């Protein structure tokens, strides 16, 4: 694919201010306060994963609305000491899959929680196990990003971001986890969720974000019609006149706004030919990361000039491993 976004010389200085609703912080504080009224863990059950060096548990925790959200929790087998924990968020349309699929973080010596995506899991991978009982209650299209698009209280990402925040609370209650060393990790939609967690969760110790979705949403909709953004433009092409309501809703889910409030050290990766999540969104979040937190967190970003949505792939993962080891020691 050709280069289509801003050149790198401009991306490194790209710092647009998002159009934040006046009640952005109040909206999320109220949402998370409501979710925190119940105990977070529902069940923790050991499962046979077919592996000799990794132990896995099937975890259910209460997310948005008290709904049970599933996750895989894994640890290196035979290790009893407290371990730092990586909470990983999957991409758009993907579920948690099978317990042996994602072993990088546990093989690096960390506890690992992989959260299921409610109401997703049917587009690729090996499925999910978490329904979204609220999906049909509001106006919107069939794709996750347009479910409840006309009201932020009904939007799918209000629920999914709440689940992500609660996933961190859940991992901090699981056995053998060093609660002072918890990182949020994700690519694409997962990167957007990791950014949201960085902006909403006190005491998070690291965020690793690659090709984040829902960053610089308005610009992205002008640049690409690839899924998931293309689902928004397709919806608006039918529901003419709904733009104002849709943009208002998406402003509450904007990754740049979460990034501005983040305090944890952060590692970013971006492919400069990414037509799924345009690189200007990632750079806008990176360049404004932590500016409202007063923390001046350590940050770095790696750009891959000839890569698309796959970004740096395994090279980026190796950089993440080295960076996180440096943060945690």
């Amino acid at each position: 694919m050709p280069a289509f976004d801003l050149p790198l010389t401009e991306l490194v200085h790209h710092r647009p201010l998002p159009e934040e609703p006046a009640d952005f912080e109040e909206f999320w504080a109220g949402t998370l306060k409501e979710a925190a009224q119940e105990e977070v863990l529902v069940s923790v059950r050991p499962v046979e994963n077919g592996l000799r060096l990794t132990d896995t548990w099937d975890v259910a925790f209460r997310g948005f609305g008290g709904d049970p959200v599933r996750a895989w929790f894994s640890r290196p087998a035979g290790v009893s000491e407290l371990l730092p924990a990586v909470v990983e968020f999957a991409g758009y349309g993907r579920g948690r899959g099978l317990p042996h699929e994602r072993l990088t973080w546990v093989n690096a010596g960390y506890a690992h929680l992989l959260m299921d995506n409610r109401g997703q899991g049917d587009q690729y991978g090996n499925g999910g196990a978490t329904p979204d009982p609220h999906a049909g209650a509001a106006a919107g299209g069939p794709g996750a990003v347009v479910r409840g698009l006309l009201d932020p209280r009904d939007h799918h990402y209000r629920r999914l971001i709440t689940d992500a925040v609660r996933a961190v609370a859940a991992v901090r209650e699981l056995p053998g986890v060093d609660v002072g060393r918890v990182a949020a990790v994700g690519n694409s939609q997962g990167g957007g969720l990791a950014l949201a967690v960085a902006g909403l969760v006190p005491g998070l110790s690291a965020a690793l974000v690659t090709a984040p979705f829902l960053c610089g949403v308005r610009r992205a909709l002008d640049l690409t019609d690839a899924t998931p953004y293309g689902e928004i433009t397709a919806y608006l092409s039918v529901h003419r006149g709904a733009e104002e309501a849709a943009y208002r809703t998406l402003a509450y889910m904007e990754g740049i706004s979460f990034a501005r409030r983040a305090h944890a050290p952060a590692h970013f990766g971006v492919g400069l030919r990414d037509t799924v999540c345009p690189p200007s969104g990632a750079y806008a979040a990176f360049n404004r990361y932590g500016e409202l937190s007063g923390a001046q967190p350590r940050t770095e970003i790696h750009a891959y000039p000839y890569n698309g949505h796959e970004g740096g792939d395994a090279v980026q993962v190796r950089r993440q491993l080295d960076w996180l080891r440096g943060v945690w020691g």
Side-chain angles (χ1 to χ4, degrees), residues 52-301:
R52 297 179 61 185
L53 304 180
T54 301
D55 293 330
T56 301
W57 291 261
D58 185 350
V59 171
F61 65 89
R62 291 183 179 89
F64 178 88
D67 302 332
V69 178
R70 305 292 285 278
W72 297 125
F73 177 63
S74 298
R75 287 176 52 92
V79 176
S80 58
E81 66 191 77
L82 293 179
L83 295 176
V86 170
V87 180
E88 185 175 4
F89 306 109
Y92 191 80
R94 189 183 186 111
R96 66 173 181 169
L98 300 173
H100 61 270
E101 286 188 67
R102 300 198 177 196
L103 300 176
T104 297
W105 298 106
V106 70
N107 278 332
Y110 304 130
H112 177 236
L113 185 83
L114 175 62
M115 186 187 85
D116 206 11
N117 288 323
R118 67 163 62 219
Q120 299 188 32
D122 298 319
Q123 293 186 21
Y124 70 104
N126 289 290
T130 305
D132 184 1
H134 310 274
V145 75
V146 290
R147 293 176 194 157
L149 183 61
L150 303 185
D151 190 323
R153 295 168 297 180
D154 298 329
H155 196 237
H156 177 79
Y157 280 89
R158 181 186 182 215
R159 301 188 291 278
L160 194 62
I161 289 169
T162 301
D163 293 347
V165 170
R166 295 286 279 169
V168 175
V171 85
R172 285 172 168 166
E173 293 194 10
L174 291 171
V177 169
D178 180 349
V179 299
R181 292 189 291 174
V182 176
V185 177
N187 300 343
S188 193
Q189 173 184 264
L193 293 175
L195 263 185
V197 166
L200 293 171
V201 174
L204 191 75
S205 62
L208 297 99
V209 177
T210 306
F213 180 46
L214 292 178
C215 290
V217 174
R218 281 182 179 259
R219 178 175 172 81
L221 290 172
D222 288 338
L223 290 175
T224 183
D225 59 2
T227 299
Y229 287 115
E231 294 180 9
I232 300 172
T233 54
Y235 179 87
L236 294 177
S237 74
V238 174
H239 299 275
R240 301 167 183 86
E243 296 92 335
E244 183 177 351
Y247 283 134
R248 178 178 181 273
T249 292
L250 293 167
Y252 287 92
M253 318 302 158
E254 171 61 62
I256 301 171
S257 295
F258 292 119
R260 298 180 73 205
R261 292 161 172 81
H263 52 80
H267 185 281
F268 283 70
V270 58
L272 298 189
R273 296 169 187 252
D274 187 347
T275 59
V276 176
C277 295
S280 53
Y283 268 94
F286 175 78
N287 289 331
R288 290 202 172 273
Y289 189 88
E291 67 181 2
L292 296 182
S293 69
Q296 296 185 322
R298 167 186 171 183
T299 60
E300 66 179 65
I301 188 168

